[in-house]
Amino acid sequence: MTLAAPSSPAPTRVRWYILILLFLITTNNYLDRILLGILAPVIMDDLGMDTVAYGYVNSAFQAAYAIGFLLMGKFIDRSGTRIGYSVAILFWSVAAGFHALARSAASLGFWRGILGLGEAGNFPAAIKAVSEWFPKKDRAFATGIFNAGTNVASMIGPPLFVWMNLHVGWRNCFIITASSGVIVLILCWLHYRPPQQHKWVNSAELAYIQSDPEEQTTTQIGWFEALKYRETYGFALGKFFSDPVWWFYLTWLALYFKNERGLTLTEIGWALPVIYLMADFGSVMGGWVSGYLMRRGWPHAKARKATMGFFALCMPIAATAVLAPNIILTVALISLATSAHQGWSANLFTTVSDVFPKSAVASVTGVGGFLGGMGNVVFTAILPGYIITYFGYGPMFVLMGLFHPIAWLCVHHFMGPMNKITESR
């Protein structure tokens, strides 16, 4: 009698639990940062701020966020994802809580800057975690899932913060959201490990995670080394032109609805969740589409660029929201913008792990995030305060409609075939 060979164990699914953890951390990260934008009408009245001062307060966050990308990206690559992520969470949670002490635009701007330094650690750490836990064909989808945390925060935040403001005031809102960071910090420290060190991962899941061809990189790629590669500029310019679009809608939309469309704070609190619910679909769909095309045999560069090109072409259409005759059409078109941007972003972030070795992912993401932050300072923080004051919202919507197609051209030109980097240049 012949004995049957023992069957291989089914792969564990720890990578999906790790992805849920990344999603929760990203949601917390965004709740802290969007609170100011949601309650801007109340906070500006309380502190005596005009739109120009509000622009400068936001520029403090964006400038520090840009610098923080460089610092955090390098720190995370050197210290590892677990330590780097934990430090970043602690940093941004403490900074968020101190917003409650603000008594002027200057002090609010100071704490926004400190918050920006810490919050910059989220995406370098999360992208690095995805590169550690998922093979290439699943990374855009995984990135779309955790990146959906930005939309969930933007969806649940407005009605939640409006309700909290009515009951405890805007200062306590910052303290409460900051306290939630302690929870995700504990979860991160207790549960995050690289897959080869995680006690819950079996050999079958580890084999799947490591199913891509083994990297043969001969050098450690940091900031300065990354600048030798044209692919870095493709990613960074893609961030420079596309990031301000998301931040414009995130930062100025509540004021636009109040001042131009005549909505009350309560109405704004219910309009914004609709917009960011649609962004959730875009985030997940963007990652799924490129992965689907790759599984159908498309080269990864073609799949990424085709998906990103589709979403980029949605943006000029969405920008016509400023001309819409009623609020329903306005909300629908802005929903298209946020959805298309998140589908774009899920793929843009994934190009880094497509091209660069895992040891360099956080640093290169940091370089791109720095340039994206500089774009935010110019196009989201400083310019809107003046343009909106003197020319209205129309010119800003036009700019936001053009930036993604320009970003796609930069990605296409500089990243080329997106071949894996395996040696120093």
Side-chain angles (χ1 to χ4, degrees):
M1 181 171 57
T2 303
L3 295 177
S7 59
S8 301
T12 50
R13 302 176 65 84
V14 180
R15 63 193 184 279
W16 299 109
Y17 294 108
I18 294 297
L19 188 58
I20 293 172
L21 175 62
L22 301 181
F23 170 84
L24 292 174
I25 296 172
T26 302
T27 302
N28 170 263
N29 178 278
Y30 255 68
L31 285 171
D32 283 335
R33 77 174 69 179
I34 69 170
L35 178 51
L36 176 63
I38 303 304
L39 298 183
V42 174
I43 296 172
M44 290 173 68
D45 287 344
D46 190 27
L47 299 183
M49 296 164 51
D50 59 16
T51 55
V52 173
Y54 180 65
Y56 280 121
V57 167
N58 281 296
S59 71
F61 177 92
Q62 298 293 354
Y65 190 66
I67 296 170
F69 257 109
L70 286 177
L71 300 176
M72 286 293 183
K74 190 71 171 179
F75 174 68
I76 291 163
D77 271 338
R78 287 193 170 183
S79 63
T81 308
R82 180 179 181 235
I83 293 176
Y85 220 160
S86 298
V87 169
I89 296 168
L90 178 62
F91 197 111
W92 82 57
S93 298
V94 172
F98 274 104
H99 280 57
L101 301 180
R103 291 293 183 271
S104 65
S107 60
L108 181 63
F110 174 80
W111 290 116
R112 291 305 286 177
I114 300 300
L115 179 69
L117 283 174
E119 292 218 326
N122 183 71
F123 282 97
I127 296 298
K128 187 176 181 68
V130 167
S131 73
E132 291 174 345
W133 277 90
F134 290 86
K136 184 181 295 185
K137 62 179 177 290
D138 292 340
R139 287 177 190 167
F141 180 67
T143 300
I145 293 292
F146 89 71
N147 193 43
T150 65
N151 310 316
V152 169
S154 301
M155 183 175 62
I156 67 175
L160 176 63
F161 294 149
V162 169
W163 181 85
M164 289 167 60
N165 174 67
L166 290 174
H167 289 83
V168 299
W170 68 265
R171 297 180 188 278
N172 285 321
C173 290
F174 280 104
I175 294 174
I176 293 169
T177 59
S179 300
S180 68
V182 177
I183 298 173
V184 295
L185 171 61
I186 293 172
L187 292 174
C188 178
W189 187 255
L190 291 179
H191 296 292
Y192 191 88
R193 301 286 191 283
Q196 61 271 23
Q197 298 175 14
H198 207 292
K199 62 182 180 181
W200 296 346
V201 176
N202 67 7
S203 58
E205 182 176 20
L206 186 61
Y208 179 80
I209 292 170
Q210 299 176 344
S211 59
D212 291 326
E214 186 176 354
E215 295 178 352
Q216 300 296 329
T217 305
T218 60
T219 185
Q220 180 76 22
I221 299 175
W223 298 336
F224 298 111
E225 184 69 22
L227 296 178
K228 298 178 182 178
Y229 299 87
R230 61 185 288 121
E231 292 87 350
T232 300
Y233 297 97
F235 173 70
L237 288 172
K239 294 283 287 177
F240 178 80
F241 285 110
S242 63
D243 274 16
V245 180
W246 175 257
W247 279 97
F248 171 75
Y249 289 117
L250 197 68
T251 305
W252 293 93
L253 201 52
L255 290 177
Y256 171 72
F257 281 147
K258 177 178 181 289
N259 298 332
E260 298 297 314
R261 296 291 178 167
L263 300 188
T264 66
L265 189 62
T266 300
E267 290 170 334
I268 293 170
W270 290 108
L272 295 184
V274 175
I275 291 170
Y276 291 108
L277 174 62
M278 295 300 103
D280 263 333
F281 288 109
S283 182
V284 176
M285 184 178 73
W288 179 84
V289 168
S290 60
Y292 171 79
L293 294 176
M294 291 170 65
R295 285 188 289 272
R296 297 279 293 182
W298 286 41
H300 72 275
K302 183 180 179 182
R304 298 273 189 252
K305 290 181 181 180
T307 305
M308 292 168 68
F310 169 77
F311 287 120
L313 291 176
C314 292
M315 302 306 286
I317 300 171
T320 62
V322 73
L323 303 175
N326 58 69
I327 191 62
I328 294 176
L329 184 56
T330 299
V331 169
L333 288 169
I334 294 175
S335 297
L336 175 62
T338 57
S339 178
H341 172 82
Q342 291 296 68
W344 157 278
S345 187
N347 283 277
L348 180 62
F349 272 124
T350 310
T351 61
V352 179
S353 57
D354 286 344
V355 173
F356 289 91
K358 294 176 184 178
S359 61
V361 166
S363 291
V364 176
T365 302
V367 172
F370 171 77
L371 202 58
M374 289 295 98
N376 293 335
V377 171
V378 176
F379 298 117
T380 303
I382 296 177
L383 281 183
Y386 291 96
I387 291 176
I388 292 169
T389 298
Y390 297 106
F391 303 102
Y393 283 88
M396 288 306 305
F397 273 81
V398 172
L399 279 176
M400 297 305 110
L402 296 176
F403 279 167
H404 277 76
I406 296 172
W408 185 89
L409 291 174
C410 293
V411 172
H412 177 67
H413 175 70
F414 285 101
M415 301 201 84
M418 298 186 188
N419 294 324
K420 194 74 173 183
I421 293 172
T422 58
E423 59 183 17
S424 179
R425 296 180 185 173

